[in-house]
């Protein structure tokens, strides 16, 4: 927070500070809202198909036996401070941990959103953001001038993990991931957070 304040002190009043950290909702969101209560804060809730996310997580072996740096920033749902909790004896496999984590992030986001009505919350589907029209809409919602022709920017591939995935797990078929979701939903679907997650992502009849 102090570092951001120092940066802003030396910049024009019209300057926009953007932080793309995925740790925002999991760690320092409350600090930002408290420390910058007199600033306009916009939060982009970037949405993607949970089946696609789970498939990618599995290919990267998140919550899997190989370990890795994911442990530094992703809390399994079996940990005491996870926003959505599962007992260790309820876990039947890696996909239970993955879906439990995704449900927890959605629950934490919903809670934070309810506590910060003053913020400019923006829901964006990843597929829309990949198009010039969708990107321009986002700039409009952020009340920021579009940088012009977005086609070259959108054509760039950023954060490509294909090589790493080939070194760990293969991408499982979407049908298999959907089957794991159905199993998860059958066992934990009575939980309000799971129900909300399923409805929000059209997964209650997958």
């Amino acid at each position: 927070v102090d570092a951001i304040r120092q940066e802003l002190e030396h910049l024009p009043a019209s300057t926009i500070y953007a932080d793309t950290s995925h740790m925002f909702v999991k760690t320092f969101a409350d600090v930002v809202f408290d420390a910058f209560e007199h600033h306009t804060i916009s939060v982009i809730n970037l949405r993607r198909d949970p089946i696609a996310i789970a498939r990618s997580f599995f290919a990267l072996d998140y919550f899997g036996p190989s370990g890795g740096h994911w442990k530094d920033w992703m809390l399994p749902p079996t940990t005491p401070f996870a926003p959505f909790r599962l007992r260790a004896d309820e876990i039947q496999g890696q996909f239970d941990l993955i879906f439990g984590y995704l449900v927890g992030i959605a629950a934490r986001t919903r809670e934070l959103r309810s506590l910060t009505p003053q913020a400019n919350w923006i829901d964006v589907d990843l597929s829309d953001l990949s198009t010039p029209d969708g990107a321009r809409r986002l700039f409009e919602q952020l009340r920021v001038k579009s940088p012009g022709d977005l086609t070259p920017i959108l054509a760039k591939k950023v954060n490509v993990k294909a090589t790493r995935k080939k070194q760990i797990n293969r991408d499982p078929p979407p049908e298999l991931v959907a089957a794991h979701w159905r199993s998860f939903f059958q066992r934990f679907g009575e939980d309000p957070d799971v129900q909300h997650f399923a409805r929000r992502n059209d997964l209650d009849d997958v």
Side-chain angles (χ1 to χ4, degrees):
V1 171
D2 289 339
I4 296 175
R5 287 189 187 280
Q6 291 174 9
E7 287 291 329
L8 292 176
E9 285 177 0
H10 301 289
L11 295 172
S14 59
T15 298
I16 297 171
Y17 175 85
D19 194 317
T20 60
S21 175
H22 59 90
M23 295 296 290
F24 177 77
V25 72
K26 293 184 283 188
T27 54
F28 59 90
D30 52 347
V31 176
V32 170
F33 283 116
D34 289 342
F36 299 99
E37 60 179 336
H38 299 302
H39 291 73
T40 300
I41 298 177
S42 295
V43 183
I44 300 172
N45 181 28
L46 188 60
R47 301 181 64 238
R48 183 186 176 198
D49 174 21
I51 299 300
I53 298 175
R55 190 178 179 219
S56 179
F57 276 19
F58 182 83
L60 292 166
D61 207 35
Y62 290 173
F63 305 106
S66 67
H69 294 301
W70 64 265
K71 293 183 178 180
D72 296 333
W73 64 80
M74 301 172 76
L75 288 177
T78 50
T79 55
F81 300 106
F84 172 74
R85 293 286 310 282
L86 291 174
R87 299 194 316 270
D89 60 357
E90 294 178 306
I91 303 300
Q92 294 186 2
Q94 188 171 348
F95 278 103
D96 280 356
L97 295 172
I98 291 173
F99 286 122
Y101 171 81
L102 295 179
V103 168
I105 291 299
R108 169 61 177 149
T109 301
R110 195 167 66 253
E111 176 190 31
L112 183 63
R113 193 168 189 160
S114 69
L115 295 173
T116 55
Q118 75 279 10
N120 177 30
W121 284 84
I122 304 170
D123 293 307
V124 180
D125 286 333
L126 184 60
S127 57
D128 291 337
L129 192 57
S130 302
T131 67
D133 287 343
R136 275 191 290 270
R137 280 195 299 272
L138 176 59
F139 279 109
E140 291 173 0
Q141 290 174 295
L142 289 169
R143 308 180 189 107
V144 176
K145 183 179 178 181
S146 174
D149 185 11
L150 295 167
T151 304
I153 299 174
L154 295 174
K156 292 181 180 179
K157 288 188 176 181
V158 182
N159 198 25
V160 177
K161 297 186 176 72
T163 302
R164 187 179 169 204
K165 289 179 180 179
K166 290 179 181 178
Q167 296 172 348
I168 306 178
N169 289 335
R170 292 184 177 179
D171 280 331
E175 298 79 10
L176 177 62
V177 181
H180 281 288
W181 162 256
R182 287 193 295 272
S183 173
F184 181 91
F185 190 63
Q186 287 171 359
R187 286 175 287 126
F188 306 112
E190 294 299 318
D191 185 280
D193 286 335
V194 177
Q195 291 177 7
H196 189 278
F197 181 81
R199 289 195 304 270
R200 186 75 173 84
N201 294 284
D202 297 323
L203 290 174
D204 41 2
D205 59 351
V206 170

